[in-house]
Amino acid sequence: MTVTVVNPATEEAIASLPSAGVEETDAAVARAAAALPAWRAVSPKDRGTLLRRLATLVEEHGEELARIESRNVGKPISGARGEVGMVADVFHFYAGAVDKRHGETIPVAGGIDMTFREPLGVVGLIVPWNFPLNITSWKLGPALACGNTVVLKPAELTPLSALRLAELTLEAGIPEGVFNVVVGKGSIVGRRLVEHPGVAKIGFTGSTEVGRGVMEGAAGTIKRVTLELGGKSANVIFADADLERAAAAAPYAVFDNAGQDCCARSRILVERTAYDRFAELLIEATRNVKVGDPESPDTEMGPLISAAHRETVASFVEGRPLFTGETPAGKGYWYPCTLVEASNDDRVAREEVFGPVAALIPFDDEADAIRIANDTPFGLSGSIWTENGARALRVARALETGVLSINSNSSVRVSTPFGGFKQSGFGRELGLHGLDGYSEVKNVYYSTEG
Ligand code: NAD
């Protein structure tokens, strides 16, 4: 079996790779297990140095990696460059973190009690196609920093950047077997990693549906899991907000990466008294989103990942949208920026569209905004726009979501924790919190009596 990799902007095949099965997955786990004793014994300073070298190599190969990612995902080159920059920053961050995770001493009778942070062992990482290299780095950085070895399964649609990263890892001097990439189907390779008795933990990013299956499969071996799943985040705009600023920013909070973003603020909740004015400003701002050739430096939105995904996205738009943007003619899985008016009970407001479709929903007051924003099974991200600082913090505390921003739509940073509430998953990535998911606390009591 082979995996054919396609450029979504041209529909052309750009690579054809063998698709691994259970045997190849088991071989990769065996390589990672064999590499584990030596890797966990590398001194903290040397492990940090190796990760820093990897970060530097990612910087040096930044343009090459950005082009691979742009062609494989169809994402605009400017965005891809930013993402690769973040990948390097993530490795720099965890290079610096290796020797900054301290244990504790705990006062007890008759001796000394101390804690250690031990690596988990072989870790399986399963990632989606929307931010392939970025999401890989969020897991790989802390996993390696904590002394684990890794088997990564990239999404079938987007394996190319992970394969190049594996080469750079070796070039950085990270020993063979520490980082292994297996390209294949989720139902075969992913499932085998989830069930493999030699894999200690699964770091998973993907849909809530597949995440549920990962959790079930992991139960057989009581495997640790971190689940970064879907979202249906609210962008809450109060009438006292700077409406111009909020409206200018809102399209990019949904249409970035063509809406294929777990943090997409795809429910735009607007206080009724400001609704008409905001809608007018939002339409204007959405009209200005530059959709087109991902290779052009000015492009802000590219195509969707596949023809099948475009059909799914289209199924969410019923009736006449409030606004529909333009798309290039010809080949490519294009879908226009689309604004619809909705109630929070409509399918477009309840399910993750994962495409450039945003639902405008009016609310009456602060309590109503909180009620609507929380009326979803998801809880990943969100924004609050208001000039009233006390209200901003009140609402931030009331929202059942893991990552929020006030008067901004940016919630992903290298040094701050990222992850979901409710069915958006659990566990945190990035920042020092990211290390918690890749080590186990060991407690040792040492008697000083006799
Ligand atoms: P997906 O769930 O279909 O696939 C994710 C990964 O799981 C892929 O590598 C896939 O091959 C693998 N997989 C599929 N079936 C499997 C199985 N039975 N066992 C093990 N692995 C299996 O998701 P996708 O379509 O690639 O990505 C889109 C989804 O990812 C969206 O729901 C999005 O919200 C979510 N996402 C979440 C975050 C986050 O951090 N919370 C970030 C990005 C994307």
Side-chain angles (χ1 to χ4, degrees):
M1 282 202 301
T2 54
V3 172
T4 302
V5 182
V6 171
N7 178 341
T10 62
E11 303 183 28
E12 280 164 9
I14 52 175
S16 180
L17 307 164
S19 183
V22 169
E23 212 174 293
E24 289 86 353
T25 311
D26 286 357
V29 174
R31 281 198 302 278
L36 183 65
W39 179 244
R40 64 178 294 176
V42 171
S43 76
K45 176 176 175 291
D46 290 347
R47 208 182 301 148
T49 302
L50 290 168
L51 276 173
R52 208 170 280 294
R53 263 197 227 144
L54 176 59
T56 305
L57 280 171
V58 169
E59 280 163 352
E60 286 170 7
H61 293 265
E63 188 58 22
E64 176 199 352
L65 289 166
R67 289 201 174 274
I68 292 174
E69 203 79 322
S70 171
R71 286 181 77 211
N72 196 170
V73 188
K75 59 177 75 215
I77 187 67
S78 58
R81 285 180 183 132
E83 286 170 32
V84 171
M86 186 189 195
V87 171
D89 289 346
V90 167
F91 291 135
H92 277 302
F93 181 88
Y94 288 109
V98 170
D99 56 4
K100 293 175 190 65
R101 288 283 278 178
H102 304 150
E104 302 153 291
T105 53
I106 301 171
V108 291
I112 293 165
D113 193 280
M114 58 201 133
T115 63
F116 295 91
R117 286 259 167 197
E118 304 290 9
L120 298 171
V122 176
V123 166
L125 306 181
I126 302 176
V127 298
W129 45 258
N130 58 340
F131 296 102
L133 202 56
N134 237 309
I135 290 175
T136 293
S137 72
W138 299 3
K139 300 175 193 310
L140 184 64
L144 295 185
C146 290
N148 303 281
T149 56
V150 169
V151 178
L152 170 83
K153 194 206 89 61
E156 301 91 295
L157 295 169
T158 56
L160 300 183
S161 55
L163 290 168
R164 186 67 185 112
L165 182 69
E167 292 170 355
L168 295 179
T169 308
L170 290 176
E171 205 177 316
I174 293 173
E176 201 127 4
V178 170
F179 177 44
N180 307 273
V181 178
V182 183
V183 177
K185 279 183 175 299
S187 55
I188 298 173
V189 175
R191 195 184 165 88
R192 179 60 186 153
L193 284 175
V194 169
E195 293 178 352
H196 197 300
V199 173
K201 185 231 163 90
I202 295 289
F204 175 84
T205 298
S207 60
T208 294
E209 192 189 340
V210 175
R212 197 168 282 123
V214 168
M215 203 168 162
E216 275 170 18
T221 48
I222 314 290
K223 228 177 232 74
R224 282 92 186 103
V225 286
T226 300
L227 299 176
E228 299 285 357
L229 308 176
K232 193 72 210 175
S233 298
N235 189 0
V236 183
I237 290 132
F238 287 96
D240 67 2
D242 179 338
L243 292 184
E244 278 75 15
R245 233 184 105 217
Y252 301 96
V254 194
F255 305 135
D256 225 19
N257 214 38
Q260 303 165 122
D261 183 343
C262 53
C263 288
R265 277 86 164 152
S266 54
R267 289 184 301 149
I268 305 180
L269 275 48
V270 188
E271 193 162 1
R272 214 175 283 278
T273 52
Y275 186 90
D276 289 343
R277 173 74 184 131
F278 184 83
E280 212 176 285
L281 291 166
L282 178 65
I283 289 171
E284 212 35 57
T286 305
R287 207 187 297 284
N288 293 333
V289 175
K290 296 185 189 72
V291 184
D293 180 3
E295 287 186 24
S296 156
D298 297 334
T299 296
E300 293 173 325
M301 189 177 107
L304 293 170
I305 190 73
S306 67
H309 187 53
R310 180 169 58 185
E311 260 180 57
T312 310
V313 170
S315 77
F316 282 91
V317 182
E318 291 163 350
R320 193 159 160 265
L322 181 65
F323 174 79
T324 307
E326 307 278 323
T327 55
K331 292 241 178 216
Y333 309 124
W334 303 98
Y335 197 86
C337 293
T338 306
L339 300 171
V340 300
E341 293 182 289
S343 99
N344 201 49
D345 296 326
D346 294 336
R347 181 172 166 244
V348 70
R350 301 225 59 86
E351 295 176 26
E352 188 178 41
V353 178
F354 226 54
V357 180
L360 265 95
I361 303 170
F363 67 83
D364 293 326
D365 55 20
E366 188 177 315
D368 198 33
I370 293 167
R371 181 188 63 76
I372 298 172
N374 284 341
D375 179 15
T376 169
F378 299 107
L380 186 56
S381 191
S383 303
I384 302 157
W385 293 78
T386 173
E387 294 293 289
N388 178 336
R391 163 181 278 167
L393 288 176
R394 258 194 325 267
V395 176
R397 295 301 303 274
L399 294 187
E400 297 159 351
T401 176
V403 199
L404 275 168
S405 45
I406 297 169
N407 295 334
S408 155
N409 296 318
S410 101
S411 52
V412 181
R413 290 184 174 72
V414 172
S415 58
T416 60
F418 176 80
F421 279 25
K422 304 200 285 190
Q423 292 188 33
S424 288
F426 55 84
R428 291 294 176 269
E429 300 196 310
L430 296 171
L432 292 175
H433 291 259
L435 296 165
D436 292 344
Y438 291 95
S439 60
E440 197 94 81
V441 176
K442 181 185 281 173
N443 190 69
V444 176
Y445 172 71
Y446 197 143
S447 169
T448 51
E449 286 172 344

